[in-house]
């Protein structure tokens, strides 16, 4: 069945009949939150819509939202595969094992798992180098803070989050030696009330710039209310803090999704590991606010450009770990393996990494 | 670590804000339970209030109309529960849980077009001189009006339950519905009133969350606050004043643990996050062990089904 | 005017007729809901209720998933129903579920990579003990200090969630997991992998144990002295006291049993469907099971049917999202409606509707 679908798709494309209904490629998406979370799942759904826009009737997309990780995810993926999906995007780390299990049962269906590390012949992985974005906003934070205190709302102590804290801290420190990071772990990805409380606690402790690695825009609204600065996370969040928002790190999955669906249509899909950053546009830096002085804007833009050009790596030595031991010698850059499993603070970050 | 960085005044202000949604919902549930009805659907009514209050505020540009709408929406949802448990005599525990499921889904459906919007801001009280007083000014005289409302509501409920004839009747219904019925009181009607009041309070608590505490609408934003409100009612041993103690204690520990983290205290955040729940349990144990009689304050007919069979 | 009049005796016809009636009303009202959202109502209802059984492509797989999804609900609800019949309000089964999974999982991880068929039974016992221990906290506080078990068991759910987060980011974190917050996989080692007994119906070992315990619970409640004492305590605490029943023992036993069953369900979940301990493996079974217990009228057979019905709406709901693009929120509204109707029409078991002239 899959064979005929591809054949039909190929034929349709060859004949220039991209819009033909019989040639539809089916793409399925599984989200961990509601598409209305305005954060993680929202941006993945924006990616899905980019696919629809790019291919029109040649593609049929389906999605299931708020799917808990684990057993429920495995069932939903299986149903999608049974329903004739050609490619399935599983957009949360916790979907890793279920994706592998289902992929083993459906060798003809392509799977794309976000942020995981296990692959198979029909399972690709993809993730974004958000730490590149963290570097850029870290620079801005370091320049903009007047109290020299940056507050950081963190979800769970996992490498992804730790990497973000380290990258932002190093960047801020490089432009402001006196800067201090205060980190609050809320142990949730999504609880607007608690995120708001955490933002208040950080402001209380003197933070005048807030960064977050949780999903809701609660911290941004608090920053707006208290008249301090913050950055959009996952989505731009401009509407929540028109004056507070300095910039944002936007997850832009659209180009990747379009490319992968196209590969399925063309029959060129292969299992790959993608870890893209600013250069291909998977990580986008939101527009700079007018409140950032022109020279700081230029500096941040230059850093962003240098990262994109590959001339700047946010983790370039000398960098010591928090305990003072040497991590990277001068000029050395971090390898992807260490970054992927990062479970330590760099020197200068205060507090203990929960472990 | 420098504990002097903890400013007790602003901690107080933060904890009051964190506690108010729970307090509002809890005071409503207390009245419901005093009338002998256990409504576990607080979470569902809160979130319906959160979206109704948010949506109406956005549409009208007036947060107060939004708050009224939230109370109305919470009460409507509560009346579904009331109709089922009072007229159709369905099981209260299960119906309450179903109400939560229904409310969460309904709120998400209604809220689809409101994500990402900004509500009109709720003005804060600013009394010349008083609000500017050091310490007392920020703790007592500079909040948004809803906080004073919540305290007034607790006072009002206390007064109603203990000092008025209506309150006496309500409590009688909760203690022994058959006796109240034979005295000629309309048990079902009184309970429906209590249930609607509880729904309105929960709705208001939800609206406080979406209009003041977080100001935004996101799906599932109550994130368990309704359950905490239920626990606070039990914690308070069905005494209105203790609701304030319970809610502020819970809010206070939550705020304090976040502040301690920001200070860089060396206790694992996961364990610190448990403290609000553990301390609530511990205080509850002390209260119930210390004054055995006080803890027997539960309305005797709580959760029992009433049918007028004459 | 219309009014309800108690029946002399509960109607046995209504006992099985009301659930069918409720599902029928749900179909109609649900149809209106979906129609209002611009979806084909007939199609939606068919997908939710029939496709999981009969659909050509989805049916065989969905059928096998029904028991997988219903299993933990049934197991937890069975335990809870025993307490509820005694008037002991354990609403913290979710926490006991989590602690059971942690305790049993920790045993499995400590023994890793031991082979042998004794590993899983040992883990199951540890899981049951873990859940039981967590439930004994409210039991102890209630017996000793008369502290309300609703508050304590509920608060302990959140403590358990945080404890789980501490465990999977700390001691139980997989050493090969690149620092991600999860334990080693239980399903990748034979000795800790819950075996599948009969695939087409999704009968893994946990489901079999659950069904066996449903029968055991039935026997205990209906045929055993303890069951009688439990029911008596629930119906009339004073009569129970006169009959020499020690209320402290009833509290301890019922909370202990419900905790043990919930803990076991947690262990089965992580060694089977979920596969490992993560911060997200608990998906609210402990709370949903409370509804299942009452929908099943606190009766074992009822609980099995109610668990299956809940599972059906979950699975059918996913299919409806998949094929019709109905949002998840609409599915939970639909589920809430179904529960309302099921609970509402139950009134006809014990009451009948009569037409009476108003007598003043």
């Amino acid at each position: 069945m899959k064979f005929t679908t591809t054949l039909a798709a190929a034929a349709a494309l060859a004949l220039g009949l991209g819009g033909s209904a019989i040639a539809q490629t089916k793409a399925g998406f599984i989200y961990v939150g509601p598409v209305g979370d305005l954060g993680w799942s929202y941006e993945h759904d924006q990616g899905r819509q980019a696919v629809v826009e790019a291919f029109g009737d040649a593609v049929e997309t389906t999605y299931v939202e708020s799917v808990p990780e684990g057993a429920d995810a495995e069932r939903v993926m299986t149903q999608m595969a049974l329903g004739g999906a050609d490619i399935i995007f599983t957009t949360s780390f916790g979907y890793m094992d279920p994706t592998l299990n289902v992929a083993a049962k459906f060798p003809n269906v392509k799977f794309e798992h976000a942020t995981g590390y296990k692959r198979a012949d029909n399972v690709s992985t993809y993730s974004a180098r958000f730490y590149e974005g963290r570097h850029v906003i870290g620079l801005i934070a370091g320049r903009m803070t007047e109290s020299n205190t940056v507050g950081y709302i963190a979800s769970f102590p996992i490498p992804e989050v730790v990497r973000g804290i380290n990258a932002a801290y190093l960047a801020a420190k490089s432009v402001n030696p006196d800067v201090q990071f205060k980190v609050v772990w809320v142990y949730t990805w999504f609880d607007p009330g608690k995120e708001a409380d955490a933002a208040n606690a950080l402001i209380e402790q003197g933070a005048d710039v807030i960064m977050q690695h949780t999903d809701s825009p609660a911290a941004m609204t608090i920053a707006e209310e208290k008249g301090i600065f913050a950055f959009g996370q996952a989505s731009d969040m401009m509407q929540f803090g028109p004056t507070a928002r300095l910039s944002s790190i936007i997850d832009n999955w659209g180009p990747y999704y379009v490319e992968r669906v196209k590969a399925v249509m063309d029959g060129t899909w292969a299992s790959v590991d993608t870890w893209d950053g600013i250069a291909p546009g998977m990580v986008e830096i939101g527009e700079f606010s007018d409140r950032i002085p022109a020279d700081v804007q230029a500096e941040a833009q230059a850093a962003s450009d240098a990262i994109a050009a590959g001339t700047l790596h946010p983790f370039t030595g000398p960098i010591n770990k928090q305990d003072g031991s040497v991590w990277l010698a001068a000029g050395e850059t971090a390898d992807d393996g260490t970054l992927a499993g990062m479970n330590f603070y760099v020197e200068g970050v205060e507090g203990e990494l929960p472990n | 670590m420098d504990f002097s960085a903890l400013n007790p005044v602003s901690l107080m202000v933060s904890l009051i804000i964190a506690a108010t949604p729970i307090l509002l919902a809890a005071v409503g549930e207390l009245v419901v339970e005093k009338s002998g009805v256990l409504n576990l659907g607080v979470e569902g009514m809160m979130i319906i209030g959160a979206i109704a209050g948010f949506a109406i505020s956005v549409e009208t540009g007036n947060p107060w109309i939004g708050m009224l709408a939230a109370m109305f929406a919470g009460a409507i949802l509560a009346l579904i529960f009331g109709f089922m448990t009072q007229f159709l005599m369905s099981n209260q525990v299960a119906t309450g849980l179903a109400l939560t499921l229904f409310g969460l889904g309904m709120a998400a459906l209604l809220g689809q077009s409101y994500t990402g919007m900004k509500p009109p801001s709720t003005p804060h009280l600013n009394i010349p001189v008083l609000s500017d007083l050091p310490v007392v000014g920020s703790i007592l005289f500079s909040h948004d009006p809803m906080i004073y409302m919540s305290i007034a509501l607790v006072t009002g409920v206390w007064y109603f339950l203990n000092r008025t004839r209506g309150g006496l009747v309500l409590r009688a219904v909760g203690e022994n519905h058959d006796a109240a019925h034979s005295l000629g009181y309309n048990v079902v009607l009184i309970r429906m009133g209590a249930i609607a009041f509880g729904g309105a309070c929960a709705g208001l608590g939800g609206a406080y969350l979406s209009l003041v505490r977080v100001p935004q609408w996101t799906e599932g934003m109550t994130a368990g606050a309704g359950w905490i409100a239920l626990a606070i009612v039990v914690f308070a041993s069905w005494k209105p004043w203790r609701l304030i103690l319970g809610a502020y204690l819970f809010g206070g520990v939550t705020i304090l643990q976040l502040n301690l983290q920001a200070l860089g205290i060396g206790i694992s955040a996961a364990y610190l996050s448990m403290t609000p729940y553990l301390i609530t349990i511990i205080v509850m144990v002390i209260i119930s062990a210390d004054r055995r009689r006080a803890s027997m304050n539960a309305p005797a007919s709580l959760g029992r089904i009433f049918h007028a069979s004459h | 005017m219309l009014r309800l009049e108690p029946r002399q005796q509960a109607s046995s016809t209504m006992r099985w007729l009301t659930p069918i009636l409720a599902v029928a009303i749900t179909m109609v009202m649900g149809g209106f809901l979906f129609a209002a959202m611009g979806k084909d109502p007939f199609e939606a209802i068919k997908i939710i209720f029939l496709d999981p059984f009969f659909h050509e492509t989805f049916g065989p797989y969905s059928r096998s998933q029904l028991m997988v999804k219903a299993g933990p609900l049934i197991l937890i609800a069975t335990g809870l129903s025993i307490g509820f019949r005694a008037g002991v309000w354990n609403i913290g089964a979710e926490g006991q579920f989590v602690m059971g999974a942690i305790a049993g999982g920790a045993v499995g991880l400590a023994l890793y990579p031991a082979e042998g068929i004794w590993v899983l039974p040992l883990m199951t016992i540890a899981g049951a003990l873990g859940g039981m221990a967590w439930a004994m906290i409210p039991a102890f506080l209630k017996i000793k200090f008369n502290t309300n078990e609703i508050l304590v068991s509920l608060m302990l759910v959140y403590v358990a969630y945080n404890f789980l987060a501490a465990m999977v980011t700390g001691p139980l974190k997989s050493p090969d997991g690149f620092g991600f917050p999860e334990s080693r996989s239980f399903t990748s080692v034979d000795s800790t992998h819950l075996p599948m007994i009969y695939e087409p119906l999704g009968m893994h070992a946990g489901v079999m144990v659950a069904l066996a315990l449903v029968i055991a619970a039935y026997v205990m409640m209906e045929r055993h002295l303890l069951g009688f004492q439990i029911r008596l305590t629930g119906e009339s605490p004073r009569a129970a006291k006169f009959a020499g029943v020690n209320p402290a023992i009833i509290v301890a036993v019922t909370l202990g049993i419900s905790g043990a069953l919930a803990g076991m369900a947690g262990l089965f979940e992580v060694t089977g469907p979920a596969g490992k301990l993560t911060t997200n493996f608990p998906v609210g079974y402990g709370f949903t099971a409370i509804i299942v217990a009452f929908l099943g009228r606190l009766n074992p057979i009822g609980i099995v049917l109610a668990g299956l019905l809940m599972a059906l709406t979950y699975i059918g709901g996913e299919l409806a999202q998949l094929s019709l693009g109905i949002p998840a929120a609409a599915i939970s509204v639909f589920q809430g409606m179904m529960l309302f109707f099921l609970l509402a029409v139950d009134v006809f078991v014990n009451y009948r509707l009569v037409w009476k002239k108003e007598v003043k």
Side-chain angles (χ1 to χ4, degrees):
Chain A
M1 181 193 73
K2 175 61 185 50
F3 177 68
T4 50
T5 318
T6 341
L7 205 65
L13 283 170
L15 294 167
L17 296 171
S20 161
I22 36 160
Q24 273 191 336
T25 298
K26 279 190 165 186
F29 294 79
I30 299 183
Y31 308 133
V32 71
V35 296
D37 69 358
L38 281 193
W40 183 255
S41 295
Y42 171 82
E43 286 299 335
H44 283 286
D45 197 57
Q46 293 293 315
R48 179 186 69 83
Q49 290 174 20
V51 170
V52 174
E53 211 161 283
F55 301 111
D57 289 342
V59 66
E60 184 194 338
T61 64
T62 51
Y63 71 87
V64 181
E65 58 183 333
S66 303
V67 181
E69 297 172 342
D72 294 299
E74 189 161 332
R75 186 175 60 243
V76 172
M77 285 172 210
T78 307
Q79 308 279 32
M80 271 188 181
L82 285 170
D86 300 296
I87 181 166
I88 297 175
F89 293 88
T90 61
T91 64
S92 182
F93 170 75
Y95 296 157
M96 182 164 67
D97 286 358
T99 304
L100 269 292
N101 295 345
V102 179
K105 286 189 223 151
F106 295 91
N108 291 328
V109 181
K110 315 298 181 207
F111 291 83
E112 296 271 349
H113 176 235
T115 69
Y117 54 83
K118 292 185 187 168
R119 275 169 295 283
D121 283 347
N122 59 334
V123 181
S124 284
T125 50
Y126 63 99
S127 186
R129 295 180 187 268
F130 297 117
Y131 67 89
E132 296 184 351
R134 295 271 167 203
H135 177 89
V136 178
I137 66 170
L139 281 181
I140 301 173
R143 290 285 187 204
M144 295 301 288
T145 176
E146 278 169 19
S147 61
N148 289 330
T149 308
V150 175
Y152 205 113
I153 303 170
S155 51
F156 291 97
I158 61 172
E160 162 85 43
V161 178
V162 177
R163 206 159 54 227
I165 296 170
N166 285 335
Y169 173 75
L170 289 171
K173 179 96 176 167
S174 70
V175 295
N176 180 352
D178 299 325
V179 81
Q180 209 194 2
F181 268 46
K182 289 189 184 292
V183 184
V184 168
W185 298 92
V186 289
Y187 277 80
T188 173
W189 284 106
F190 181 85
D191 180 343
K194 199 165 181 189
E195 291 170 53
D197 290 343
N200 277 318
L202 287 165
I203 295 167
E204 202 46 53
Q205 301 297 323
D208 60 355
V209 179
I210 299 269
M211 288 190 196
Q212 64 172 56
H213 205 142
T214 48
D215 285 348
S216 94
M220 180 64 82
T221 36
I222 297 298
E224 179 76 13
E225 201 179 271
K226 295 281 166 77
I228 63 152
F229 296 124
F231 296 94
Q233 160 73 14
S235 65
D236 195 53
M237 299 186 180
M238 171 72 103
Q239 64 272 48
F240 295 102
T243 50
R245 178 196 154 286
L246 290 172
S247 179
S248 54
I249 302 179
I250 303 170
D251 311 355
N252 184 7
W253 305 106
Y256 180 76
Y257 288 178
V258 169
E259 178 197 319
R260 299 306 282 170
V261 172
K262 182 80 169 50
V264 169
M265 289 173 161
D266 298 347
T268 57
W269 191 95
S271 170
V272 291
D273 175 27
T274 304
W275 199 11
D276 277 349
I278 291 177
M282 194 179 266
V283 176
E284 254 179 49
I285 305 295
E287 199 187 326
F288 296 130
S289 147
D290 295 343
R291 301 182 67 184
I292 308 177
D295 56 325
V296 178
Q297 286 197 25
E299 185 181 35
Q301 188 59 49
S304 173
D305 293 343
I307 290 171
T311 53
L312 171 65
H313 191 294
F315 291 103
T316 305
I319 302 174
N320 290 348
K321 295 188 182 179
Q322 193 185 32
D323 59 14
S325 63
V326 176
W327 173 37
L328 295 173
E332 199 184 347
T333 55
D335 62 289
D336 281 0
T338 316
L339 286 182
M342 188 175 256
N343 58 358
F344 55 87
Y345 280 149
V346 295
E347 195 172 44
V349 178
E350 281 175 39
E352 214 169 304
L353 185 60
N355 222 326
Chain B
M1 193 185 325
D2 179 16
F3 279 103
S4 65
L6 285 180
N7 177 348
V9 176
S10 44
L11 277 183
M12 271 303 284
V13 175
S14 302
L15 88 82
I16 291 173
I17 293 174
T20 297
I22 304 172
L23 180 60
L24 284 166
V27 73
E29 178 69 13
L30 181 132
V31 171
V32 179
E33 293 190 14
K34 271 288 181 192
S35 81
V37 178
L38 181 63
N39 183 355
L40 293 186
V42 181
E43 179 87 358
M45 301 185 299
M46 275 184 93
I47 196 135
I48 278 288
I51 183 57
F54 189 89
I56 299 301
S57 298
V58 167
E59 299 301 339
T60 60
N62 184 332
W64 307 117
I65 298 180
M67 302 255 186
L68 279 177
M71 293 174 71
F72 186 71
I76 293 286
L77 205 63
L79 286 175
I80 298 179
F81 169 89
F83 176 74
M84 292 198 43
T85 55
Q86 302 309 307
F87 290 95
L88 301 178
M89 287 159 282
S90 69
N91 177 287
Q92 295 177 4
V93 173
T95 311
L97 289 166
L99 193 73
T100 292
L101 192 64
F102 182 81
L104 285 168
M106 201 55 158
L109 270 189
L110 295 173
Q112 272 172 350
S113 51
Y114 289 95
T115 34
M117 287 190 177
K118 224 178 121 54
S121 67
T122 316
H124 278 224
L125 194 64
N126 197 351
I127 311 165
V129 187
L130 280 184
S131 300
D132 300 329
L133 287 175
V135 185
V136 198
S138 348
I139 297 183
L140 295 181
F141 301 112
S142 64
H143 299 294
D144 55 272
M146 284 312 297
I147 286 180
Y148 305 102
M149 255 289 288
S150 69
I151 304 290
L153 200 59
V154 173
T155 316
V157 162
W158 169 82
Y159 184 82
F160 171 76
L161 287 176
N162 296 298
R163 294 285 183 274
T164 68
R165 189 169 160 71
L168 186 70
V169 173
L170 184 109
R171 284 188 290 135
V173 167
E175 287 304 325
N176 187 338
H177 46 219
D178 294 318
H181 175 71
S182 52
L183 286 173
Y185 295 117
N186 189 334
V187 173
V188 169
L189 202 66
I190 290 166
R191 286 187 171 166
M192 286 300 275
I195 291 168
F197 176 78
C201 290
L204 192 60
Y208 187 81
L209 202 61
S210 65
L211 290 174
V212 184
R213 185 175 170 211
V214 186
Q216 67 181 44
W217 163 252
T218 22
E219 233 181 287
M221 71 179 302
T222 42
W227 293 100
I228 303 301
L230 275 166
I232 297 294
V233 176
V234 182
F235 174 91
S237 326
W238 294 271
K239 289 188 191 315
W241 293 119
R242 283 202 197 157
L243 285 179
I244 301 184
L245 173 71
Y248 284 18
L249 176 78
F250 187 86
V253 180
T254 307
I255 296 296
L256 189 65
Q257 73 96 354
L258 291 170
N259 273 279
L260 287 177
Q261 275 199 53
L263 264 183
I265 196 173
I267 302 174
S268 166
Y271 294 101
L272 269 180
S273 304
M274 295 176 189
T275 48
Y277 312 102
L278 288 175
I279 288 181
T280 307
I281 293 177
I282 292 167
V283 175
M284 181 69 191
V285 168
I286 294 168
I287 291 179
S288 47
D290 207 35
R291 317 229 304 261
R292 279 179 172 249
R293 315 189 85 213
S295 62
M296 309 245 187
N297 211 17
S301 294
L302 188 60
R304 295 190 187 275
I305 290 170
F306 169 77
H307 180 72
S309 47
H310 58 86
Chain C
M1 62 178 274
L2 277 175
R3 53 172 292 132
L4 289 165
E5 198 166 78
R7 292 178 193 272
Q8 302 284 332
Q9 211 175 359
S11 159
S12 52
T13 319
M14 279 300 170
R15 219 181 264 284
W16 59 264
L17 193 62
T18 49
I20 299 173
L21 186 67
V23 172
I25 301 174
T26 311
M27 289 181 176
V28 176
M29 299 304 286
F32 281 115
L33 171 74
F34 296 132
M37 299 177 57
K39 310 288 178 189
D40 180 348
F42 298 102
E43 189 63 17
I45 297 298
K46 176 187 145 286
I47 289 173
I48 294 174
F49 286 102
L50 298 180
D51 279 4
F53 292 112
F54 305 116
H55 192 276
E56 223 177 306
T57 37
F58 298 123
Y61 175 74
S62 298
R63 281 199 294 273
S64 79
Q65 289 297 302
L66 274 176
M67 275 318 281
V68 173
K69 188 85 188 162
L73 292 174
I74 293 170
L75 187 52
I76 301 169
T78 301
L80 288 177
S81 68
I82 294 171
F84 292 164
R85 288 178 79 169
V88 176
W89 299 102
N90 175 10
I91 59 172
E94 179 81 356
Q96 295 138 25
F97 177 86
V98 169
M99 294 309 276
I102 294 175
V107 168
L109 293 169
L111 294 170
Y112 178 87
E115 283 299 334
I117 53 161
W118 49 274
V119 176
L120 198 57
L122 198 66
M123 290 168 72
T124 309
I125 292 168
L129 288 176
M132 187 195 274
W134 206 240
M136 289 319 277
I137 299 174
F140 172 78
L141 294 177
K142 182 169 180 78
I143 294 165
K144 186 91 184 143
F145 302 108
N146 202 22
T147 314
N148 188 300
E149 76 276 16
I150 296 180
L151 175 115
V152 179
S153 61
L154 179 62
M155 287 290 163
L156 286 176
V157 172
Y158 301 99
V159 176
Y161 281 157
N162 281 300
F163 187 68
L164 174 65
M167 287 297 111
V168 296
T169 53
L172 300 185
K173 183 164 71 176
S174 167
D176 312 324
F178 297 96
F180 283 97
E182 48 180 39
S183 73
R184 282 182 195 279
S185 163
F186 295 111
T187 44
S188 58
V189 182
D190 276 346
S191 62
T192 55
H193 184 184
L194 196 64
M196 182 58 87
I197 312 282
Y198 183 61
E199 179 97 46
L201 286 179
M203 293 282 188
H204 60 59
V207 173
M208 307 297 271
V209 172
L211 294 179
L213 286 171
V214 167
I215 296 168
Y218 179 78
V219 172
M220 186 192 90
M221 291 305 284
E222 303 300 326
R223 299 273 180 273
H224 196 276
L225 178 64
L226 182 64
F228 169 74
Q229 292 181 334
I230 289 171
R231 282 183 287 141
L232 189 62
T233 307
E235 279 152 26
S236 165
R238 204 180 297 168
K241 238 176 205 164
F242 281 126
V245 181
N246 181 345
I249 289 178
I250 297 296
V251 168
V253 166
T254 54
L255 268 165
I257 292 175
S258 57
L261 263 51
M264 218 185 272
L267 188 271
F268 291 148
E269 192 64 13
V270 294
T271 53
K276 55 173 76 160
L277 284 165
T278 66
T279 48
N280 298 313
F281 93 86
V283 293
Y285 282 132
F287 290 114
T288 313
I290 302 174
I291 305 182
V292 169
F294 282 106
L295 278 189
R297 297 170 185 147
L298 305 183
N299 157 315
I301 301 166
I303 287 172
V304 172
L305 293 175
L308 282 169
L309 184 62
M310 280 307 286
L312 178 68
T313 59
Y314 279 116
I315 294 173
E318 285 158 10
L319 288 178
Q321 282 195 62
L322 203 57
S323 346
L324 295 181
I326 292 173
I331 300 297
S332 83
V333 170
F334 178 77
Q335 282 177 324
M337 277 170 39
M338 184 184 76
L339 297 175
F340 283 150
F341 294 132
L342 278 166
L343 294 164
V345 296
D346 245 18
V347 69
F348 296 116
V349 174
N350 292 309
Y351 296 86
R352 62 172 160 224
L353 213 48
V354 290
W355 179 262
K356 259 194 182 164
K357 286 221 171 101
E358 188 90 53
V359 202
K360 276 268 160 153

